[in-house]
Amino acid sequence: MALGSITSLGVGSGLDLQTTLDSLREVDETSINLKKTSQSRLEEQVVAFDSINVKLIEMKSSALSLSLKSNFLERSPEVSDGEIASATVQSGAAITSHALEVKQLALKSSWQSEGVAEGVTPIYAAPATGISDSETSVISVDTPLFLTLAQGDDQVSISLDLGTGASLDTIAQAINQAGDNQTQDGSTRVTATVVEGDGGHYIRLAATDGQSDTNNQIQVSGGLDFLSPDLTFSYRAGAANDEVFVAVPAGTSYQEMVSIINEDDANGGITAALIDDGTDETPWRLTLTSNESGEGNRIFLGGIEMTELKGADGESLNARFTVDGIEYQRQTNGEIEDVIQGVSLDLKKVGETQVGVTASYDKVKEYLTALIDTYNELATEIGEESSYSEDVNEDNGLLADVLSVKRLDSQIGDLLGTTVQTGESIASLYDLGMTINRDGSISLDETVLEDAFSAFPEAVSALFLGDAEQGITGLGDVLNDRFKALTDGTSGTANVEKNSAQERIDRLTQSIEDAEERLNTKYDLLAKQFVNLDAVIGKLNSQSTALESLIESFNTAAQD
């Protein structure tokens, strides 16, 4: 129910007082509705001003890019045979050409074991003792036992006597409890464990700490074949790197060896693999390959029999190549940045090729094209929003009455045609193929643009960058400064109009609220007055009905 509306109004009088009240209000709301219409149009203009300003900002971004010297220092690599090498170049690198000959690619050091029939074949077989029970006596006479752990200054000797009748369980316990085998913290240096293998029971001897950065090799003297110390071998990936020691328990297969090496936390930069080389009877081989190429990652092995593949017989693992006849070696094939200044080389295969550096103006062309395209979009939008029709039945454009915006596209068009006198053959965008079309849009002839960059790159750079020493402002700065002014938050053309429109919207909003409040108050009062009027008229109607009834009674009585 609208303000000023009462559902029972008119019941007493029989008159359509509510319709009368609504009609009066509708007349009074005419001026408010006109203000709301103006407000809606201004809000639409604010959106249009924002859209125009966005395009001006885009043009400013393109202009700024055209004013930056770095964009005119872009370089592109040229490699005559991309199968031999590829290259990347830094901005500002000297425009040059070099002869490159790749004589050898950098290699990864690799080793290979003898072939075996199956991957589960033990690389270190467990002893065949024939002992069926760990509690059975294995010592017929008192026997001394000597163990040594590690080497050099870190070597520890452990000695004990094994009594007649000792079983494997007894011997393992004696080793673990031997005084020489105890550390200051109460743990053992060597751990003895009874293991059941395919060839019978035996005692495994393993270094308790199990650290692969320490030589935990265990040696046994005494000729007891039921003792099986872990096999220890070492490798070093690069002469300057630390040696890594690998402890291999008896019965470890070739397949298990791969996991032991690859999953070692101290892995020193090698990868183990089990390969099938296709040989009929013994196809499975353990391989070790350095993770990185070059002499600095050559693998050195100790304590294990394997055949060296890459790097064998003193073969260099480094990449070898010449640039302009000068010989170089590098440990890697990629990202070679210290041979040709500003150029990074990636070697791919042996052969000869030419490596060159040329100027690249792709980004400059991209920014210039974006500038022209955005101008055309802006001009089209302004034309549509500023349209004016003599026909009273057609609506004018949303910004038809905003003169500053209507002039904007022509001002920018003139700006794009600015001439910069640098003394070179190219003085404006017209020399780069810019054309003003009959509809006011701008075209850019790609052929003319390409030819200009190819034939006169210095002149094109001078056009956009100017010459600070001679006091010449380049077109890039001219455009950037002008667009900076046009997009200023306070004084920029679109922002000035937007701020003005927003102020008018705010005033209209307040005016509408005040007018609606006054109108509501007026019609609340008028509604009450109509209620009273309805009651009075209803009362008069009742009196009139009663009087008519009385007169009718008198007339009836007189006729009788």
Side-chain angles (χ1 to χ4, degrees):
M1 182 178 69
L3 289 173
S5 175
I6 301 176
T7 56
S8 62
L9 188 61
V11 173
S13 65
L15 300 176
D16 191 1
L17 296 178
Q18 184 61 55
T19 299
T20 302
L21 189 63
D22 291 342
S23 298
L24 291 172
R25 184 182 181 97
E26 186 176 347
V27 172
D28 283 346
E29 286 179 335
T30 301
S31 61
I32 294 177
N33 290 333
L34 290 174
K35 291 179 180 179
K36 288 182 177 180
T37 300
S38 298
Q39 184 185 46
S40 296
R41 184 174 178 82
L42 287 170
E43 288 172 345
E44 292 175 359
Q45 286 185 339
V46 167
V47 174
F49 292 138
D50 280 336
S51 178
I52 290 172
N53 203 50
V54 166
K55 290 181 174 59
L56 290 173
I57 292 173
E58 290 177 0
M59 295 183 75
K60 177 185 178 298
S61 177
S62 297
L64 175 61
S65 297
L66 290 170
S67 71
L68 300 177
K69 184 177 181 180
S70 59
N71 287 324
F72 291 83
L73 295 176
E74 290 297 312
R75 299 290 184 260
S76 292
E78 284 191 351
V79 181
S80 60
D81 190 338
E83 292 186 354
I84 293 174
S86 62
T88 57
V89 298
Q90 296 178 359
S91 176
I95 298 175
T96 58
S97 180
H98 302 273
L100 169 66
E101 180 182 1
V102 180
K103 295 184 175 181
Q104 176 182 294
L105 294 177
L107 304 173
K108 292 183 178 181
S109 177
S110 61
W111 291 73
Q112 178 179 271
S113 71
E114 292 293 329
V116 293
E118 297 179 335
V120 294
T121 301
I123 196 169
Y124 172 35
T129 64
I131 300 173
S132 59
D133 189 340
S134 63
E135 297 180 355
T136 299
S137 172
V138 293
I139 299 295
S140 58
V141 295
D142 292 349
T143 303
L145 175 63
F146 300 97
L147 307 177
T148 58
L149 173 67
Q151 292 180 346
D153 295 338
D154 296 325
Q155 190 175 77
V156 175
S157 297
I158 301 171
S159 62
L160 65 157
D161 293 319
L162 304 179
T164 302
S167 66
L168 295 183
D169 288 341
T170 304
I171 296 171
Q173 183 178 14
I175 294 172
N176 292 333
Q177 294 178 350
D180 296 338
N181 195 21
Q182 308 303 307
T183 64
Q184 292 183 350
D185 62 6
S187 63
T188 59
R189 293 185 170 88
V190 174
T191 298
T193 308
V194 178
V195 178
E196 182 180 2
D198 294 338
H201 289 71
Y202 62 92
I203 295 176
R204 176 194 173 189
L205 300 177
T208 304
D209 63 18
Q211 297 297 313
S212 56
D213 57 355
T214 303
N215 181 359
N216 283 317
Q217 182 179 10
I218 301 172
Q219 295 180 342
V220 180
S221 61
L224 301 176
D225 58 5
F226 53 77
L227 294 176
S228 177
D230 286 355
L231 172 69
T232 300
F233 76 92
S234 65
Y235 70 88
R236 186 193 303 270
N241 295 325
D242 293 333
E243 196 169 10
V244 178
F245 297 90
V246 181
V248 185
T252 298
S253 68
Y254 281 76
Q255 193 171 35
E256 291 169 334
M257 179 71 101
V258 171
S259 298
I260 290 175
I261 295 172
N262 292 340
E263 296 173 8
D264 185 1
D265 291 338
N267 185 295
I270 71 170
T271 297
L274 186 64
I275 66 167
D276 178 356
D277 66 4
T279 304
D280 289 338
E281 297 182 359
T282 56
W284 296 99
R285 298 174 184 270
L286 173 70
T287 64
L288 303 177
T289 305
S290 61
N291 294 341
E292 303 295 335
S293 61
E295 279 296 319
N297 297 289
R298 179 183 286 273
I299 298 174
F300 300 91
L301 294 179
I304 187 172
E305 290 294 328
M306 297 185 76
T307 301
E308 189 172 16
L309 299 178
K310 297 296 183 182
D313 299 324
E315 174 193 19
S316 175
L317 297 171
N318 287 341
R320 295 188 298 110
F321 58 97
T322 66
V323 174
D324 296 333
I326 302 175
E327 294 192 0
Y328 297 90
Q329 285 194 30
R330 294 294 183 271
Q331 294 199 54
T332 179
N333 296 313
E335 299 182 359
I336 301 174
E337 302 175 344
D338 56 352
V339 175
I340 302 175
Q341 187 172 5
V343 177
S344 177
L345 293 173
D346 290 315
L347 310 181
K348 297 181 177 180
K349 74 174 189 177
V350 172
E352 298 181 13
T353 186
Q354 289 291 127
V355 177
V357 179
T358 61
S360 172
Y361 297 104
D362 289 345
K363 285 188 176 181
V364 175
K365 297 171 189 174
E366 179 184 331
Y367 298 136
L368 180 56
T369 301
L371 180 69
I372 300 301
D373 289 346
T374 308
Y375 167 79
N376 287 332
E377 294 173 6
L378 177 65
T380 298
E381 182 173 351
I382 291 175
E384 292 173 352
E385 299 290 8
S386 302
S387 61
Y388 178 80
S389 176
E390 298 289 347
D391 190 340
V392 295
N393 295 318
E394 294 186 10
D395 293 333
N396 292 330
L398 189 62
L399 306 179
D401 58 343
V402 185
L403 187 59
S404 62
V405 172
K406 292 175 67 174
R407 294 174 175 173
L408 194 56
D409 59 337
S410 61
Q411 293 174 354
I412 296 175
D414 293 341
L415 178 64
L416 294 177
T418 300
T419 298
V420 178
Q421 298 297 343
T422 63
E424 300 285 351
S425 57
I426 295 176
S428 73
L429 295 183
Y430 293 111
D431 296 322
L432 297 181
M434 187 179 81
T435 303
I436 306 296
N437 303 315
R438 295 183 63 182
D439 62 358
S441 63
I442 294 178
S443 298
L444 195 61
D445 190 318
E446 294 290 338
T447 301
V448 175
L449 184 64
E450 289 288 346
D451 291 345
F453 274 107
S454 297
F456 310 106
E458 293 83 4
V460 176
S461 298
L463 169 65
F464 288 104
L465 302 178
D467 189 328
E469 293 182 359
Q470 297 185 30
I472 300 173
T473 301
L475 182 59
D477 282 330
V478 171
L479 296 176
N480 183 50
D481 291 343
R482 181 56 183 146
F483 284 119
K484 183 177 181 180
L486 288 173
T487 56
D488 183 82
T490 302
S491 59
T493 301
N495 284 326
V496 167
E497 297 295 347
K498 173 187 174 180
N499 295 337
S500 175
Q502 189 61 58
E503 290 176 359
R504 293 164 64 190
I505 290 172
D506 294 341
R507 290 196 298 269
L508 281 171
T509 299
Q510 187 61 51
S511 177
I512 291 169
E513 291 176 355
D514 293 344
E516 288 180 335
E517 184 177 353
R518 290 194 300 269
L519 200 61
N520 290 336
T521 301
K522 173 182 177 180
Y523 277 88
D524 282 345
L525 177 60
L526 194 58
K528 293 178 182 179
Q529 292 174 343
F530 268 48
V531 170
N532 293 333
L533 177 61
D534 185 47
V536 171
I537 294 175
K539 184 176 182 181
L540 291 175
N541 285 339
S542 297
Q543 292 174 350
S544 173
T545 301
L547 182 59
E548 288 177 355
S549 178
L550 180 61
I551 293 173
E552 185 177 349
S553 297
F554 281 138
N555 288 337
T556 302
Q559 290 176 0
D560 291 342

